[in-house]
Amino acid sequence: MADDNLDRAARNILHANDRGGYTVPNGRVYPFQWNWDSAFVAMGFDRFDRNRSWTELETLFRGQWEDGFLPHIIFWQDDEGYFPGPAVWATGTAPATSGITQPPVAATSLRRLWESAVDAGEAGAYRARLEALFPKVLRWHRWFRDNRDPDERGVAVVVHPWETGRDNAPEWDAPGEPIDTSQVGDYVRRDTSHLDAKMRPTKLEYDRYLALVQFGRDLGWDHARIGRESPFRVADVGMSMILLRANRDLLALAEELGRTEDADELRASIARAEAGIGWLWDETRQTWCSRDLVTGRSSGFITNASFLSFYAGLRDQARDQATIAHIERIGAAVRYLMPSLDPEDPGFQMIRYWRGPVWAVVNLMIATGLSEAGHETLAHRLRDDTRTLIARNGFYEAFNPIDGTGSGGDDFSWTAAVWLAWAGRDA
Ligand code: DGY
């Protein structure tokens, strides 16, 4: 398909998945508003409907809780096609939401939307909207600082694999072992009625997901307690890098708005992360890895999240060289970068969700960082691979890194958004 047609197809997907102010990732598999999906979707809308792109983020923050927490799903309306729905989460909020969060891409998206409005000479029309959104995003970042970094290491701790957005990445296997699944009982999954089970997490993983939902529900979704007491507490390298990047982008917006105290606060968060995030460097594997907060052990897994250090703005010559060497090694082993798990790992699976497939949104973040750090050749490879995957196979949720075929849901909103915002644009 020619690029013009692909642009049109991408816009049509966003329109078709638009439920009025928010966009579902995919109408059948994910029929609600998802947190980090919406942040990427806003970047896609920004290419052709600026007002609508801002609305996506504004609607997302209408689901924010009093304490600043921003849920990973907002159930604007019920839909029997998804499990676990609002009755299982039982957060008691209006609108109904889940009780866990997701990677904080919103600040980065908001900065991009704002700069795009400035470039178009429309800053005047959007400044009030920026001023209204900024404090909400800041409150969410404070929530991370206050609830998800108990040892003040400058990392982001997750209490559920779904919070990472990389649901079944192997990094959660060992930390997931202590989760008691004996009280989960019978349940009917809906994801495997929409998609091939080979592309989805296993029954054991789902049992653990649900046990952790029960755990949070039993604690009345008290996030401070969950952060201290959950049997699953992992410093996620993906979440930590994305939060650091998001804090830098929010700082740029604070400076733009002349919010000096907020800017100082954000600088302190950034300094803490810069000082502490080295805890996630795995000296043995020579890469960035998630680390179990409970045991202190590094996961040792090289995943696509291992390559977000440039995106986070971290610079260290030796670590950067080692990271680039891994990217080049993996780039020689697969046709399409970046597989979600190192293809040399014995657990690599070409089509199983976050154990092998390529995810366009992660490619966008990795390539953005690589480009900013001056690694243009690799950044181009990521962009070209993403572009080819979409142009040849369609707007799938993810892609097989070996033969490029689509994996998971089709007509996927964030893949369409990545096309519009990055992969389908001239380099
Ligand atoms: C799912 O249900 O698979 C989602 O990824 C949870 O966020």
Side-chain angles (χ1 to χ4, degrees), residues 30 34 72 82 102 162 167 200 206 353:
Y30 306 103
W34 258 261
H72 99 296
Y82 182 82
Q102 242 180 358
W162 281 339
D167 303 3
R200 296 291 301 173
Y206 254 78
Y353 216 35

Side-chain angles (χ1 to χ4, degrees), residues 83-91 210 213-214 217 221:
F83 176 85
V88 179
W89 290 94
T91 54
L210 293 172
V213 172
Q214 284 177 351
R217 204 176 56 204
W221 297 110

Side-chain angles (χ1 to χ4, degrees), residues 92-233:
T93 53
T97 74
S98 69
I100 58 171
T101 194
Q102 242 180 358
V105 181
T108 301
S109 180
L110 181 60
R111 181 179 181 187
R112 191 171 169 132
L113 266 46
W114 170 249
E115 289 178 351
S116 161
V118 171
D119 289 348
E122 294 184 26
Y126 285 89
R127 191 163 178 102
R129 291 171 83 168
L130 175 65
E131 280 169 350
L133 269 171
F134 176 90
K136 298 179 185 180
V137 184
L138 179 63
R139 285 178 57 231
W140 185 27
H141 287 208
R142 281 185 186 141
W143 177 89
F144 271 106
R145 183 197 62 194
D146 297 343
N147 294 278
R148 293 309 180 77
D149 189 11
D151 302 341
E152 303 199 5
R153 288 180 176 276
V155 295
V157 173
V158 294
V159 298
H160 195 298
W162 281 339
E163 288 200 316
T164 71
R166 300 181 296 117
D167 303 3
N168 70 333
E171 293 143 278
W172 328 132
D173 292 354
E177 278 169 20
I179 300 170
D180 175 10
T181 57
S182 62
Q183 303 304 311
V184 165
D186 294 334
Y187 59 92
V188 179
R189 284 172 65 169
R190 300 307 310 266
D191 59 321
T192 44
S193 65
H194 302 302
L195 298 170
D196 185 342
K198 290 195 203 72
M199 297 176 175
R200 296 291 301 173
T202 62
K203 159 105 172 82
L204 172 64
E205 284 158 346
Y206 254 78
D207 285 354
R208 289 178 180 169
Y209 299 158
L210 293 172
L212 289 173
V213 172
Q214 284 177 351
F215 182 85
R217 204 176 56 204
D218 290 348
L219 290 191
W221 297 110
D222 176 336
H223 292 124
R225 277 193 68 191
I226 296 168
R228 285 194 308 268
E229 298 172 28
S230 173
F232 182 89
R233 277 170 291 141

